[in-house]
Amino acid sequence: MSATTITLLFLLFAVIMFVLEKIPLGVTSMIVCIGLVVTGVLDIKTAFAGFIDSNVILFVAMFIVGGALFETGMANKIGGIVTKFAKTERMLIVAIMVIVGFMSGVLSNTGTAAVLIPVVIGIAARSGYKRSRLLMPLVFAAAMGGNLSLIGAPGNLIAQSALEEINMEFGFFEYAIVGLPILIIGILFYATIGYRLLPDHDVTEESGFDTAKDFSDVPAWKQWLSLIVLVLTLLAMIFEKKIGIKLSISGCIGALILILTGVISEKEALKSIDLKTIFLFGGTLSLASALAETGAGETIANTVIGALGSHPSPYILTFVVFILCCVMTNFMSNTATTALMVTICLSIAEGMGADPRAVLMACVIGGSCAYATPIGMPANTMVVGAGGYRFMDYVKAGFPLIIIATIISMIILPIAFPFFP
């Protein structure tokens, strides 16, 4: 059996097990990871590289930074301030999505989610609303906001790099032509019809930070230092390119400062790390590597696009590229999907004599629609434990958002980015 076939079988196994959830998501990821090594598809180093991926390091660091915000009670204080202004759960959801959406437009969407997840859990604790109702809109807004600018998501820059090689480019806010309408309609959706689709779980404290403890004996300096370190970490992420320090390293520096100053103990820091998230994300990255290395991902893409014939209609091609990227991004990472599809889409555009920018915009926007699974993007994975989410929670709440994004994109893309200008 070829490595490509084995990889596709493991992909099918992962999809079925994620949907049925007869065994924990993290265990499924590890079965896939180890299975790919045992069958010789990947070597050990490649299969387990996901566990030292920069996003996993960022997760660990930000779980600790967020943990300090909880252990000192600062998250609850911030939550109290926010809940004074947002009087209802719907208002809270809208406020969270607006703040996160626009922040992730100029920050990394993963970084934005990592910084604000502990704050939102604090808001949930203070307001009495269930965190499962607030965390999913947060990560969806982070994904949508990533399409507001060139630096909002890694996939945006991958497409830009490919265009620069043929002396073309996207403007800094050009992604927002499609991204901003999706964000606005997405927020309105979860404030109205989508509000009923949000998961409603009672989360045990095992799967998140302890928000029920008494913080009256915590010194004020610890509370303020936890907030100052969080803000400085956020600023370091905003100016990542200027200071030359990666997001994950900024997070690690923040975590180390909090431990060394005694704001959070080593025991509390370790307790705040959600290992389910680490195993789920790290293990699943091995599948993404296998899809890329064996050419299985490319096979899927070429088979689907090849079925359209040599001269497909520009509208049909735009739709197929968009949908293919939507599907793949929910099982590979959005960055890996865009990296794979950009090359394929460029060659299609050049073969048709079409504007590459039109095809790549469909590719990038489609590749950001990772709303329907907990593994589509790092932010989704980060809230699995804290929100007490199951795989089908993402499908029920996120799939309608994919439909919305598809409709909006199919209306705007042909007008703003015509194939044959």
Side-chain angles (χ1 to χ4, degrees):
M1 199 181 291
S2 70
T4 302
T5 306
I6 293 169
T7 302
L8 291 172
L9 288 173
F10 272 116
L11 174 63
L12 181 64
F13 166 77
V15 172
I16 293 169
M17 294 312 295
F18 283 152
V19 171
L20 297 178
E21 230 171 310
K22 295 294 185 186
I23 55 177
L25 299 180
V27 176
T28 296
S29 293
M30 291 310 301
I31 291 171
V32 172
C33 179
I34 291 165
L36 288 167
V37 175
V38 171
T39 54
V41 174
L42 296 177
D43 57 48
I44 292 177
K45 189 174 180 181
T46 306
F48 287 89
F51 290 96
I52 53 165
D53 180 83
S54 61
N55 279 317
V56 171
I57 295 166
L58 176 66
F59 288 173
V60 172
M62 294 312 296
F63 278 137
I64 294 171
V65 173
L69 212 64
F70 276 104
E71 296 296 335
T72 61
M74 198 63 186
N76 285 32
K77 270 191 176 179
I78 297 168
I81 295 167
V82 174
T83 49
K84 279 182 185 176
F85 297 98
K87 299 295 184 186
T88 67
E89 191 177 50
R90 284 178 199 259
M91 285 174 68
L92 261 180
I93 289 169
V94 171
I96 288 165
M97 292 188 80
V98 169
I99 293 165
V100 174
F102 285 99
M103 275 182 67
S104 66
V106 291
L107 271 173
S108 144
N109 49 13
T110 303
T112 302
V115 168
L116 292 180
I117 284 166
V119 176
V120 169
I121 297 175
I123 290 170
R126 191 63 183 254
S127 64
Y129 299 124
K130 292 180 181 177
R131 62 172 85 163
S132 66
R133 307 273 300 164
L134 304 180
L135 288 173
M136 201 166 274
L138 181 155
V139 294
F140 289 167
M144 290 187 286
N147 288 328
L148 295 184
S149 78
L150 196 58
I151 58 171
N156 303 10
L157 291 168
I158 291 170
Q160 182 79 338
S161 299
L163 279 177
E164 284 172 352
E165 289 179 14
I166 53 173
N167 298 315
M168 299 179 82
E169 64 178 12
F170 286 124
F172 188 82
F173 288 113
E174 206 161 358
Y175 287 108
I177 295 170
V178 186
L180 184 59
I182 291 174
L183 176 62
I184 292 168
I185 302 296
I187 292 171
L188 291 173
F189 174 72
Y190 288 108
T192 53
I193 304 165
Y195 178 76
R196 298 179 181 181
L197 301 174
L198 295 172
D200 189 0
H201 300 317
D202 292 309
V203 183
T204 61
E205 294 306 336
E206 290 177 8
S207 51
F209 300 109
D210 183 4
T211 55
K213 63 187 279 190
D214 178 24
F215 301 107
S216 57
D217 59 340
V218 178
W221 71 267
K222 283 191 175 184
Q223 293 187 333
W224 283 105
L225 189 54
S226 70
L227 180 61
I228 290 165
V229 169
L230 180 72
V231 171
L232 290 176
T233 303
L234 176 61
L235 289 171
M237 290 176 175
I238 292 171
F239 297 108
E240 178 190 10
K241 296 285 187 293
K242 291 187 178 177
I243 63 176
I245 300 174
K246 298 284 185 188
L247 298 181
S248 53
I249 302 301
S250 294
C252 288
I253 292 169
L256 287 170
I257 289 170
L258 291 165
I259 295 169
L260 291 171
T261 54
V263 171
I264 186 171
S265 67
E266 182 190 18
K267 186 178 178 182
E268 289 168 336
L270 291 171
K271 184 183 165 188
S272 67
I273 299 168
D274 188 348
L275 288 176
K276 284 185 286 187
T277 298
I278 305 303
F279 281 113
L280 174 59
F281 192 77
T284 310
L285 283 182
S286 64
L287 183 58
S289 297
L291 283 166
E293 286 199 10
T294 64
E298 196 170 346
T299 301
I300 294 168
N302 285 333
T303 302
V304 174
I305 292 172
L308 298 176
S310 54
H311 297 287
S313 154
Y315 295 104
I316 293 174
L317 181 63
T318 303
F319 178 74
V320 170
V321 165
F322 189 92
I323 293 298
L324 185 56
C325 288
C326 277
V327 172
M328 290 177 69
T329 194
N330 279 285
F331 296 99
M332 294 174 69
S333 78
N334 46 3
T335 308
T337 298
T338 310
L340 168 68
M341 288 298 294
V342 157
T343 313
I344 297 167
C345 290
L346 264 183
S347 60
I348 292 168
E350 287 170 354
M352 291 175 66
D355 181 1
R357 286 161 33 95
V359 195
L360 291 193
M361 183 59 76
C363 171
V364 170
I365 302 295
S368 69
C369 292
Y371 313 122
T373 71
I375 56 170
M377 62 177 180
N380 285 13
T381 318
M382 286 188 81
V383 296
V384 170
Y389 296 133
R390 295 184 281 272
F391 186 89
M392 289 307 293
D393 289 331
Y394 288 87
V395 177
K396 288 173 186 171
F399 186 69
L401 189 54
I402 293 178
I403 295 172
I404 289 167
T406 304
I407 293 168
I408 293 169
S409 299
M410 291 307 104
I411 293 168
I412 296 175
L413 282 171
I415 300 167
F417 300 94
F419 259 57
F420 303 106

